[in-house]
Amino acid sequence: SLVNAPLDNDTAILFMPGGAFLVRCPTALPFAENVLPRLRDSCKALPRMLVLNYKLPARAESCVDEAEAALKWLQAQGYRRVVMAGDSAGGYLAVELALRSQRGSVAGCVGICPWLDLTLSSQALT
């Protein structure tokens, strides 16, 4: 059971849902339901998982600012390892913040079908 699993007080997962910066897709719960049991089976303690409900509708840059503020807040709370995760637009935020962050401030990055070309100019789209 996840309810009685010990918690890793040094590690957190910051999940950012997708939705093209227009709507919030309900993907945090399915992500948690798939990932946390697997972590329980392979880790001594589970990380805390927080969901960033950034303001909508929004420009991508303002959402990156919110994600960066959430990362700094988690670090100020004592989390030494923060994994950024998200799907679609949230995956973009996870990847973008991991790339912008100082070396070592992000422990990992999970982008689930990340929306990486916000300009929609990739040749793959034509």
Side-chain angles (χ1 to χ4, degrees):
S1 167
L2 294 177
V3 175
N4 297 321
L7 291 174
D8 178 349
N9 292 318
D10 289 328
T11 307
I13 298 171
L14 179 59
F15 185 84
M16 294 157 286
F21 304 113
L22 297 172
V23 298
R24 192 168 334 286
C25 293
T27 52
L29 184 58
F31 177 82
E33 288 174 336
N34 282 294
V35 170
L36 294 178
R38 293 176 187 187
L39 289 175
R40 178 201 57 217
D41 294 342
S42 62
C43 299
K44 294 178 184 176
L46 287 177
R48 294 186 188 272
M49 184 177 148
L50 295 95
V51 178
L52 177 61
N53 287 321
Y54 48 86
K55 295 176 189 164
L56 294 173
R59 289 182 19 254
E61 191 60 38
S62 65
C63 294
V64 171
D65 292 342
E66 287 186 58
E68 188 171 33
L71 172 62
K72 289 179 181 178
W73 182 84
L74 285 167
Q75 291 168 334
Q77 302 306 306
Y79 292 100
R80 295 184 298 124
R81 292 178 300 273
V82 179
V83 175
M84 309 300 291
D87 69 291
S88 191
Y92 162 79
L93 294 173
V95 170
E96 182 67 23
L97 191 56
L99 291 172
R100 288 186 185 192
S101 297
Q102 293 180 358
R103 186 178 188 99
S105 64
V106 173
C109 178
V110 179
I112 303 165
C113 297
W115 181 17
L116 298 179
D117 180 10
L118 300 183
T119 66
L120 300 177
S121 62
S122 170
Q123 289 182 358
L125 298 171
T126 57

